[in-house]
mmCIF file of all heavy atoms in Angstrom:
data_model
loop_
_atom_site.group_PDB
_atom_site.id
_atom_site.type_symbol
_atom_site.label_atom_id
_atom_site.label_comp_id
_atom_site.label_asym_id
_atom_site.label_seq_id
_atom_site.Cartn_x
_atom_site.Cartn_y
_atom_site.Cartn_z
ATOM 1 N N GLY A 1 6.843 36.707 38.620
ATOM 2 C CA GLY A 1 7.796 35.689 39.022
ATOM 3 C C GLY A 1 7.996 34.600 37.992
ATOM 4 O O GLY A 1 8.451 33.500 38.310
ATOM 5 N N VAL A 2 7.670 34.894 36.729
ATOM 6 C CA VAL A 2 7.836 33.928 35.646
ATOM 7 C C VAL A 2 9.133 34.242 34.913
ATOM 8 O O VAL A 2 9.367 35.370 34.488
ATOM 9 C CB VAL A 2 6.655 33.981 34.650
ATOM 10 C CG1 VAL A 2 6.888 33.008 33.504
ATOM 11 C CG2 VAL A 2 5.353 33.677 35.364
ATOM 12 N N LYS A 3 9.990 33.241 34.784
ATOM 13 C CA LYS A 3 11.266 33.435 34.110
ATOM 14 C C LYS A 3 11.339 32.515 32.892
ATOM 15 O O LYS A 3 10.962 31.346 32.973
ATOM 16 C CB LYS A 3 12.436 33.141 35.048
ATOM 17 C CG LYS A 3 12.526 34.111 36.238
ATOM 18 C CD LYS A 3 13.758 33.830 37.069
ATOM 19 C CE LYS A 3 13.852 34.795 38.243
ATOM 20 N NZ LYS A 3 13.979 36.195 37.802
ATOM 21 N N SER A 4 11.834 33.047 31.786
ATOM 22 C CA SER A 4 12.005 32.229 30.588
ATOM 23 C C SER A 4 13.319 31.468 30.681
ATOM 24 O O SER A 4 14.300 31.959 31.250
ATOM 25 C CB SER A 4 11.993 33.105 29.337
ATOM 26 O OG SER A 4 13.074 34.020 29.365
ATOM 27 N N ASN A 5 13.341 30.293 30.113
ATOM 28 C CA ASN A 5 14.535 29.463 30.169
ATOM 29 C C ASN A 5 14.592 28.608 28.908
ATOM 30 O O ASN A 5 14.136 27.472 28.884
ATOM 31 C CB ASN A 5 14.520 28.582 31.416
ATOM 32 C CG ASN A 5 15.830 27.848 31.611
ATOM 33 O OD1 ASN A 5 16.827 28.173 30.977
ATOM 34 N ND2 ASN A 5 15.828 26.841 32.475
ATOM 35 N N PHE A 6 15.127 29.198 27.829
ATOM 36 C CA PHE A 6 15.143 28.518 26.542
ATOM 37 C C PHE A 6 16.516 27.913 26.282
ATOM 38 O O PHE A 6 17.542 28.529 26.577
ATOM 39 C CB PHE A 6 14.806 29.484 25.404
ATOM 40 C CG PHE A 6 13.417 30.056 25.486
ATOM 41 C CD1 PHE A 6 13.207 31.330 25.988
ATOM 42 C CD2 PHE A 6 12.330 29.318 25.064
ATOM 43 C CE1 PHE A 6 11.932 31.849 26.064
ATOM 44 C CE2 PHE A 6 11.050 29.838 25.134
ATOM 45 C CZ PHE A 6 10.846 31.107 25.640
ATOM 46 N N ILE A 7 16.517 26.732 25.735
ATOM 47 C CA ILE A 7 17.747 26.111 25.261
ATOM 48 C C ILE A 7 17.706 26.162 23.739
ATOM 49 O O ILE A 7 16.834 25.564 23.105
ATOM 50 C CB ILE A 7 17.859 24.650 25.744
ATOM 51 C CG1 ILE A 7 17.877 24.609 27.278
ATOM 52 C CG2 ILE A 7 19.113 23.999 25.182
ATOM 53 C CD1 ILE A 7 17.840 23.210 27.846
ATOM 54 N N THR A 8 18.606 26.897 23.141
ATOM 55 C CA THR A 8 18.559 27.119 21.692
ATOM 56 C C THR A 8 19.850 26.644 21.033
ATOM 57 O O THR A 8 20.891 26.479 21.685
ATOM 58 C CB THR A 8 18.360 28.613 21.368
ATOM 59 O OG1 THR A 8 19.519 29.348 21.803
ATOM 60 C CG2 THR A 8 17.130 29.158 22.069
ATOM 61 N N SER A 9 19.773 26.476 19.738
ATOM 62 C CA SER A 9 20.933 26.047 18.961
ATOM 63 C C SER A 9 21.775 27.228 18.501
ATOM 64 O O SER A 9 22.843 27.044 17.931
ATOM 65 C CB SER A 9 20.480 25.243 17.744
ATOM 66 O OG SER A 9 19.611 26.024 16.945
ATOM 67 N N GLY A 10 21.295 28.439 18.728
ATOM 68 C CA GLY A 10 22.038 29.623 18.312
ATOM 69 C C GLY A 10 21.538 30.851 19.042
ATOM 70 O O GLY A 10 20.434 30.862 19.595
ATOM 71 N N GLU A 11 22.316 31.914 19.031
ATOM 72 C CA GLU A 11 22.000 33.116 19.796
ATOM 73 C C GLU A 11 20.738 33.812 19.308
ATOM 74 O O GLU A 11 20.087 34.524 20.067
ATOM 75 C CB GLU A 11 23.175 34.091 19.744
ATOM 76 C CG GLU A 11 24.433 33.587 20.438
ATOM 77 C CD GLU A 11 25.580 34.579 20.329
ATOM 78 O OE1 GLU A 11 25.403 35.583 19.594
ATOM 79 O OE2 GLU A 11 26.628 34.362 20.954
ATOM 80 N N LEU A 12 20.378 33.617 18.045
ATOM 81 C CA LEU A 12 19.236 34.333 17.473
ATOM 82 C C LEU A 12 17.992 33.463 17.320
ATOM 83 O O LEU A 12 16.976 33.933 16.821
ATOM 84 C CB LEU A 12 19.619 34.919 16.106
ATOM 85 C CG LEU A 12 20.745 35.958 16.130
ATOM 86 C CD1 LEU A 12 21.104 36.381 14.714
ATOM 87 C CD2 LEU A 12 20.364 37.165 16.968
ATOM 88 N N LYS A 13 18.083 32.209 17.754
ATOM 89 C CA LYS A 13 16.956 31.301 17.565
ATOM 90 C C LYS A 13 15.712 31.775 18.309
ATOM 91 O O LYS A 13 14.581 31.597 17.833
ATOM 92 C CB LYS A 13 17.345 29.892 18.033
ATOM 93 C CG LYS A 13 16.247 28.844 17.855
ATOM 94 C CD LYS A 13 15.879 28.666 16.403
ATOM 95 C CE LYS A 13 14.805 27.611 16.213
ATOM 96 N NZ LYS A 13 14.380 27.496 14.816
ATOM 97 N N ALA A 14 15.859 32.397 19.466
ATOM 98 C CA ALA A 14 14.715 32.828 20.277
ATOM 99 C C ALA A 14 14.392 34.305 20.092
ATOM 100 O O ALA A 14 13.627 34.874 20.877
ATOM 101 C CB ALA A 14 14.978 32.524 21.750
ATOM 102 N N ALA A 15 14.958 34.923 19.064
ATOM 103 C CA ALA A 15 14.728 36.354 18.841
ATOM 104 C C ALA A 15 13.246 36.641 18.636
ATOM 105 O O ALA A 15 12.581 35.993 17.828
ATOM 106 C CB ALA A 15 15.516 36.825 17.627
ATOM 107 N N GLY A 16 12.724 37.603 19.379
ATOM 108 C CA GLY A 16 11.332 38.023 19.215
ATOM 109 C C GLY A 16 10.342 37.297 20.085
ATOM 110 O O GLY A 16 9.150 37.646 20.069
ATOM 111 N N LEU A 17 10.773 36.300 20.856
ATOM 112 C CA LEU A 17 9.824 35.609 21.733
ATOM 113 C C LEU A 17 9.369 36.545 22.843
ATOM 114 O O LEU A 17 10.177 37.310 23.397
ATOM 115 C CB LEU A 17 10.462 34.342 22.333
ATOM 116 C CG LEU A 17 10.749 33.216 21.332
ATOM 117 C CD1 LEU A 17 11.364 32.024 22.045
ATOM 118 C CD2 LEU A 17 9.480 32.789 20.612
ATOM 119 N N PRO A 18 8.079 36.531 23.180
ATOM 120 C CA PRO A 18 7.519 37.545 24.082
ATOM 121 C C PRO A 18 8.081 37.532 25.499
ATOM 122 O O PRO A 18 8.055 38.556 26.184
ATOM 123 C CB PRO A 18 6.019 37.235 24.083
ATOM 124 C CG PRO A 18 5.899 35.840 23.604
ATOM 125 C CD PRO A 18 7.035 35.633 22.665
ATOM 126 N N LEU A 19 8.608 36.403 25.976
ATOM 127 C CA LEU A 19 9.133 36.342 27.339
ATOM 128 C C LEU A 19 10.588 36.776 27.430
ATOM 129 O O LEU A 19 11.130 36.901 28.528
ATOM 130 C CB LEU A 19 8.994 34.917 27.899
ATOM 131 C CG LEU A 19 7.578 34.465 28.266
ATOM 132 C CD1 LEU A 19 7.575 33.004 28.694
ATOM 133 C CD2 LEU A 19 6.995 35.339 29.365
ATOM 134 N N ASN A 20 11.211 37.004 26.283
ATOM 135 C CA ASN A 20 12.624 37.397 26.266
ATOM 136 C C ASN A 20 12.767 38.904 26.097
ATOM 137 O O ASN A 20 12.073 39.520 25.276
ATOM 138 C CB ASN A 20 13.351 36.708 25.106
ATOM 139 C CG ASN A 20 13.824 35.329 25.459
ATOM 140 O OD1 ASN A 20 13.566 34.835 26.547
ATOM 141 N ND2 ASN A 20 14.526 34.689 24.531
ATOM 142 N N LYS A 21 13.666 39.487 26.845
ATOM 143 C CA LYS A 21 14.036 40.879 26.594
ATOM 144 C C LYS A 21 14.921 40.902 25.354
ATOM 145 O O LYS A 21 15.904 40.161 25.269
ATOM 146 C CB LYS A 21 14.785 41.461 27.794
ATOM 147 C CG LYS A 21 13.927 41.664 29.031
ATOM 148 C CD LYS A 21 14.721 42.337 30.132
ATOM 149 C CE LYS A 21 13.877 42.487 31.404
ATOM 150 N NZ LYS A 21 12.728 43.392 31.188
ATOM 151 N N MET A 22 14.564 41.741 24.378
ATOM 152 C CA MET A 22 15.290 41.759 23.123
ATOM 153 C C MET A 22 16.668 42.379 23.302
ATOM 154 O O MET A 22 16.810 43.467 23.857
ATOM 155 C CB MET A 22 14.499 42.527 22.058
ATOM 156 C CG MET A 22 15.096 42.429 20.668
ATOM 157 S SD MET A 22 14.116 43.312 19.421
ATOM 158 C CE MET A 22 12.600 42.346 19.446
ATOM 159 N N THR A 23 17.674 41.694 22.808
ATOM 160 C CA THR A 23 19.041 42.201 22.870
ATOM 161 C C THR A 23 19.312 43.082 21.653
ATOM 162 O O THR A 23 18.626 42.986 20.630
ATOM 163 C CB THR A 23 20.054 41.046 22.881
ATOM 164 O OG1 THR A 23 19.994 40.363 21.618
ATOM 165 C CG2 THR A 23 19.745 40.066 24.011
ATOM 166 N N PRO A 24 20.324 43.958 21.713
ATOM 167 C CA PRO A 24 20.678 44.768 20.541
ATOM 168 C C PRO A 24 20.990 43.912 19.315
ATOM 169 O O PRO A 24 20.653 44.285 18.187
ATOM 170 C CB PRO A 24 21.917 45.530 21.014
ATOM 171 C CG PRO A 24 21.756 45.626 22.496
ATOM 172 C CD PRO A 24 21.116 44.332 22.901
ATOM 173 N N GLN A 25 21.610 42.753 19.516
ATOM 174 C CA GLN A 25 21.926 41.860 18.401
ATOM 175 C C GLN A 25 20.660 41.311 17.750
ATOM 176 O O GLN A 25 20.558 41.250 16.521
ATOM 177 C CB GLN A 25 22.809 40.709 18.896
ATOM 178 C CG GLN A 25 23.267 39.771 17.773
ATOM 179 C CD GLN A 25 24.058 38.590 18.297
ATOM 180 O OE1 GLN A 25 24.085 38.338 19.497
ATOM 181 N NE2 GLN A 25 24.713 37.857 17.401
ATOM 182 N N GLU A 26 19.661 40.939 18.580
ATOM 183 C CA GLU A 26 18.398 40.425 18.052
ATOM 184 C C GLU A 26 17.649 41.518 17.297
ATOM 185 O O GLU A 26 17.086 41.269 16.230
ATOM 186 C CB GLU A 26 17.544 39.889 19.203
ATOM 187 C CG GLU A 26 18.065 38.598 19.807
ATOM 188 C CD GLU A 26 17.297 38.173 21.044
ATOM 189 O OE1 GLU A 26 16.641 39.042 21.668
ATOM 190 O OE2 GLU A 26 17.329 36.986 21.395
ATOM 191 N N ARG A 27 17.649 42.732 17.853
ATOM 192 C CA ARG A 27 16.948 43.837 17.177
ATOM 193 C C ARG A 27 17.585 44.125 15.823
ATOM 194 O O ARG A 27 16.885 44.355 14.829
ATOM 195 C CB ARG A 27 16.963 45.084 18.060
ATOM 196 C CG ARG A 27 16.299 46.299 17.412
ATOM 197 C CD ARG A 27 16.076 47.422 18.389
ATOM 198 N NE ARG A 27 15.027 47.083 19.341
ATOM 199 C CZ ARG A 27 13.729 47.190 19.086
ATOM 200 N NH1 ARG A 27 13.313 47.617 17.889
ATOM 201 N NH2 ARG A 27 12.844 46.883 20.004
ATOM 202 N N ALA A 28 18.911 44.125 15.777
ATOM 203 C CA ALA A 28 19.596 44.384 14.511
ATOM 204 C C ALA A 28 19.277 43.302 13.483
ATOM 205 O O ALA A 28 19.080 43.589 12.294
ATOM 206 C CB ALA A 28 21.099 44.469 14.753
ATOM 207 N N TYR A 29 19.214 42.056 13.941
ATOM 208 C CA TYR A 29 18.893 40.930 13.052
ATOM 209 C C TYR A 29 17.480 41.057 12.478
ATOM 210 O O TYR A 29 17.264 40.910 11.273
ATOM 211 C CB TYR A 29 19.058 39.629 13.826
ATOM 212 C CG TYR A 29 18.256 38.465 13.285
ATOM 213 C CD1 TYR A 29 18.525 37.915 12.039
ATOM 214 C CD2 TYR A 29 17.218 37.923 14.039
ATOM 215 C CE1 TYR A 29 17.781 36.851 11.552
ATOM 216 C CE2 TYR A 29 16.472 36.859 13.563
ATOM 217 C CZ TYR A 29 16.754 36.330 12.321
ATOM 218 O OH TYR A 29 16.014 35.286 11.844
ATOM 219 N N LEU A 30 16.511 41.353 13.361
ATOM 220 C CA LEU A 30 15.127 41.468 12.908
ATOM 221 C C LEU A 30 14.946 42.688 12.008
ATOM 222 O O LEU A 30 14.203 42.637 11.023
ATOM 223 C CB LEU A 30 14.189 41.544 14.109
ATOM 224 C CG LEU A 30 14.104 40.266 14.959
ATOM 225 C CD1 LEU A 30 13.259 40.502 16.206
ATOM 226 C CD2 LEU A 30 13.528 39.110 14.151
ATOM 227 N N GLN A 31 15.622 43.788 12.317
ATOM 228 C CA GLN A 31 15.537 44.980 11.473
ATOM 229 C C GLN A 31 16.107 44.695 10.096
ATOM 230 O O GLN A 31 15.557 45.136 9.073
ATOM 231 C CB GLN A 31 16.288 46.140 12.122
ATOM 232 C CG GLN A 31 16.159 47.460 11.361
ATOM 233 C CD GLN A 31 14.721 47.955 11.297
ATOM 234 O OE1 GLN A 31 14.087 48.170 12.317
ATOM 235 N NE2 GLN A 31 14.203 48.139 10.076
ATOM 236 N N SER A 32 17.202 43.940 10.043
ATOM 237 C CA SER A 32 17.793 43.570 8.754
ATOM 238 C C SER A 32 16.820 42.740 7.922
ATOM 239 O O SER A 32 16.710 42.920 6.701
ATOM 240 C CB SER A 32 19.087 42.788 8.993
ATOM 241 O OG SER A 32 19.596 42.291 7.775
ATOM 242 N N THR A 33 16.085 41.837 8.592
ATOM 243 C CA THR A 33 15.100 41.009 7.893
ATOM 244 C C THR A 33 13.980 41.866 7.315
ATOM 245 O O THR A 33 13.572 41.695 6.165
ATOM 246 C CB THR A 33 14.517 39.962 8.851
ATOM 247 O OG1 THR A 33 15.577 39.155 9.371
ATOM 248 C CG2 THR A 33 13.510 39.063 8.137
ATOM 249 N N VAL A 34 13.479 42.803 8.125
ATOM 250 C CA VAL A 34 12.424 43.712 7.658
ATOM 251 C C VAL A 34 12.920 44.537 6.477
ATOM 252 O O VAL A 34 12.197 44.747 5.495
ATOM 253 C CB VAL A 34 11.960 44.623 8.810
ATOM 254 C CG1 VAL A 34 11.104 45.775 8.275
ATOM 255 C CG2 VAL A 34 11.161 43.830 9.835
ATOM 256 N N ASP A 35 14.162 45.025 6.551
ATOM 257 C CA ASP A 35 14.719 45.844 5.469
ATOM 258 C C ASP A 35 14.800 45.041 4.167
ATOM 259 O O ASP A 35 14.525 45.569 3.078
ATOM 260 C CB ASP A 35 16.107 46.352 5.852
ATOM 261 C CG ASP A 35 16.060 47.377 6.984
ATOM 262 O OD1 ASP A 35 14.966 47.921 7.240
ATOM 263 O OD2 ASP A 35 17.110 47.606 7.617
ATOM 264 N N GLN A 36 15.183 43.763 4.261
ATOM 265 C CA GLN A 36 15.250 42.922 3.068
ATOM 266 C C GLN A 36 13.865 42.733 2.449
ATOM 267 O O GLN A 36 13.700 42.789 1.224
ATOM 268 C CB GLN A 36 15.844 41.557 3.418
ATOM 269 C CG GLN A 36 17.309 41.587 3.795
ATOM 270 C CD GLN A 36 17.822 40.218 4.183
ATOM 271 O OE1 GLN A 36 17.797 39.284 3.386
ATOM 272 N NE2 GLN A 36 18.273 40.068 5.416
ATOM 273 N N LEU A 37 12.881 42.507 3.306
ATOM 274 C CA LEU A 37 11.511 42.334 2.805
ATOM 275 C C LEU A 37 10.984 43.629 2.197
ATOM 276 O O LEU A 37 10.277 43.611 1.184
ATOM 277 C CB LEU A 37 10.594 41.873 3.950
ATOM 278 C CG LEU A 37 10.873 40.455 4.459
ATOM 279 C CD1 LEU A 37 10.123 40.201 5.767
ATOM 280 C CD2 LEU A 37 10.468 39.422 3.424
ATOM 281 N N GLN A 38 11.351 44.764 2.796
ATOM 282 C CA GLN A 38 10.930 46.056 2.248
ATOM 283 C C GLN A 38 11.549 46.263 0.870
ATOM 284 O O GLN A 38 10.896 46.799 -0.043
ATOM 285 C CB GLN A 38 11.338 47.183 3.202
ATOM 286 C CG GLN A 38 11.050 48.593 2.689
ATOM 287 C CD GLN A 38 9.567 48.930 2.655
ATOM 288 O OE1 GLN A 38 8.709 48.044 2.654
ATOM 289 N NE2 GLN A 38 9.255 50.211 2.628
ATOM 290 N N ASP A 39 12.798 45.845 0.693
ATOM 291 C CA ASP A 39 13.441 45.963 -0.623
ATOM 292 C C ASP A 39 12.687 45.137 -1.670
ATOM 293 O O ASP A 39 12.556 45.553 -2.829
ATOM 294 C CB ASP A 39 14.894 45.499 -0.544
ATOM 295 C CG ASP A 39 15.792 46.485 0.197
ATOM 296 O OD1 ASP A 39 15.376 47.651 0.354
ATOM 297 O OD2 ASP A 39 16.894 46.088 0.621
ATOM 298 N N ILE A 40 12.203 43.944 -1.258
ATOM 299 C CA ILE A 40 11.423 43.114 -2.179
ATOM 300 C C ILE A 40 10.139 43.836 -2.572
ATOM 301 O O ILE A 40 9.780 43.911 -3.759
ATOM 302 C CB ILE A 40 11.103 41.756 -1.528
ATOM 303 C CG1 ILE A 40 12.387 40.941 -1.321
ATOM 304 C CG2 ILE A 40 10.099 40.968 -2.387
ATOM 305 C CD1 ILE A 40 12.191 39.669 -0.518
#
């Protein structure tokens, strides 16, 4: 019965927080970040 309720400045600010269900947009953003780091 615990619900998350975040007020953020942008749609991706809370990406990856454990109480949030990850959206396709958040997953794509985080995957892009990992890919950039892998390129480095």
Side-chain angles (χ1 to χ4, degrees):
V2 178
K3 295 184 180 298
S4 62
N5 188 14
F6 296 100
I7 299 174
T8 66
S9 58
E11 294 179 353
L12 298 176
K13 181 62 179 176
L17 292 180
L19 287 175
N20 275 3
K21 291 184 183 295
M22 188 179 295
T23 66
Q25 184 184 12
E26 289 173 339
R27 178 168 289 279
Y29 156 66
L30 293 174
Q31 185 63 58
S32 173
T33 302
V34 167
D35 291 343
Q36 292 178 61
L37 292 168
Q38 175 71 340
D39 287 343
I40 294 172

